[in-house]
């Protein structure tokens, strides 16, 4: 396989061009999460480069968190655990003191022009439409999070005609299954705000009471923005904890 095809920056070191080729295979879905990529010996034959170059390219993707090595098994595409990331901020316990993952209820799915903050996050045109999902997350019978989710319409067009009941509790595997869009990484911003009338009603709290706000932009393996999500949760259950060595 040629590493000198049009569109590649031929000034880059050879290992970086190999890295870009590997990333293209992941982004295109040729190598799926939790599945092994070809061995180093196989990659040397595919790209016609030394094994040291292959190893350095793979090391770069491992360091970026896109691949992981399993001793004796090979190198695999990593599937991040985004729900663990989100719920580290909230003390979500059942009535008997166990940690549980909240269930979800999709309230609506609409195709419309998004607000400016979603347009900017998704890097889409100001007149482009996007898919908006409004969702609640429940712990037992109590709403613990509200979610407003925006998706670029061309990439998620197959979601427009689905029944709301067909949407899964975990959206990222659902995106992969229905649309072939794989979420690889995300950037989150955490702030504290006052509950609006609608947020307060949904969370069963007082208007203007403090709520934690988590904004997330999720990206594909090629760093294309695939989802913008804003979540609100009561500050009463919010807990920030970090270990500093």
């Amino acid at each position: 396989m040629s590493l000198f095809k049009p569109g590649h920056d031929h000034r880059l070191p050879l290992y970086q061009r190999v890295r870009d080729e590997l990333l293209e295979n992941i982004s295109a879905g040729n190598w799926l999460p939790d599945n092994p990529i070809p061995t180093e010996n196989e990659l040397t034959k595919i790209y016609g480069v030394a094994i040291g170059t292959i190893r350095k390219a793979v090391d770069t993707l491992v360091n970026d968190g896109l691949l992981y090595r399993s001793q004796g098994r090979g190198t695999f595409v990593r599937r991040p655990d985004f729900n663990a990331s989100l719920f580290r901020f909230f003390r979500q316990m059942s009535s008997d003191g166990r940690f549980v993952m909240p269930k979800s209820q999709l309230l609506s799915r609409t195709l419309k022009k998004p607000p400016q903050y979603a347009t900017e996050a998704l890097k889409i045109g100001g007149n482009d439409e996007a898919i908006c999902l409004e969702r609640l997350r429940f712990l037992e019978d109590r709403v613990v999070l509200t979610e407003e989710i925006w998706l670029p319409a061309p990439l998620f067009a197959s979601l427009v005609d689905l029944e709301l009941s067909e949407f899964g509790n975990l959206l990222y595997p659902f995106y992969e299954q229905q649309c072939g869009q794989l979420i690889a990484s995300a950037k989150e911003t955490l702030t504290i705000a006052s509950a609006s009338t609608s947020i307060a009603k949904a969370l069963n709290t007082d208007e203007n009471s403090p709520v934690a706000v988590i904004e997330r932009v999720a990206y594909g393996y090629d760093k294309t923005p695939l989802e913008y999500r804003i979540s609100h949760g009561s500050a009463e259950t919010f807990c920030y904890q970090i270990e500093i060595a």
Side-chain angles (χ1 to χ4, degrees), residues 16-238:
Q16 289 191 19
R17 278 179 268 162
V18 174
R19 174 201 179 275
D20 291 346
E21 286 283 347
L22 300 180
L23 187 56
E24 284 184 16
N25 275 287
I26 298 171
S27 300
N30 298 328
W31 302 335
L32 298 174
D34 299 326
N35 283 268
I37 69 171
T39 66
E40 291 180 350
N41 286 332
E42 290 171 335
L43 290 173
T44 62
K45 296 176 183 178
I46 292 171
Y47 296 111
V49 298
I51 196 167
T53 301
I54 293 295
R55 192 163 293 152
K56 191 170 183 179
V58 171
D59 284 344
T60 302
L61 293 175
V62 170
N63 292 336
D64 289 343
L66 302 179
L67 297 175
Y68 68 94
R69 290 188 172 94
S70 177
Q71 186 68 33
R73 297 178 62 231
T75 302
F76 293 73
V77 180
R78 181 179 296 280
R79 184 189 297 277
D81 185 354
F82 294 98
N83 284 287
S85 169
L86 176 62
F87 289 106
R88 74 184 185 274
F89 292 123
F90 294 91
R91 296 187 295 267
Q92 307 299 358
M93 299 291 180
S94 65
S95 56
D96 59 3
R98 294 178 296 107
F99 172 81
V100 293
M101 184 65 69
K103 300 296 183 181
S104 66
Q105 178 186 353
L106 187 62
L107 300 178
S108 67
R109 181 263 339 273
T110 53
L111 179 64
K112 59 185 178 181
K113 182 178 176 180
Q116 183 177 354
Y117 55 81
T119 297
E120 292 176 353
L122 295 175
K123 300 187 185 307
I124 61 177
N127 294 319
D128 292 345
E129 290 187 321
I131 298 170
C132 179
L133 308 178
E134 294 188 359
R135 193 166 76 145
L136 299 178
R137 306 297 292 270
F138 289 86
L139 179 62
E140 296 175 334
D141 294 326
R142 178 169 57 93
V143 177
V144 293
L145 284 176
T146 69
E147 293 181 321
E148 175 190 326
I149 300 168
W150 291 91
L151 306 166
L155 299 179
F156 293 87
S158 61
L159 301 185
V160 172
D161 297 323
L162 290 179
E163 298 291 335
L164 297 188
S165 59
E166 296 183 60
F167 283 73
N169 189 51
L170 299 178
L171 287 178
Y172 290 172
F174 187 72
Y175 296 161
E176 182 181 341
Q177 176 188 3
Q178 295 290 329
C179 309
Q181 299 299 330
L182 281 67
I183 303 296
S185 61
K187 180 180 180 180
E188 289 182 343
T189 302
L190 171 68
T191 56
I192 300 295
S194 297
S196 65
T197 302
S198 59
I199 295 296
K201 182 178 180 180
L203 295 175
N204 193 27
T205 189
D206 296 329
E207 187 175 352
N208 295 321
S209 63
V211 291
V213 183
I214 299 176
E215 293 182 80
R216 176 191 291 177
V217 183
Y219 303 90
Y221 285 97
D222 59 357
K223 296 301 181 182
T224 297
L226 296 179
E227 180 200 73
Y228 170 77
R229 180 185 304 208
I230 182 167
S231 305
H232 292 81
S234 173
E236 293 179 358
T237 60
F238 175 78

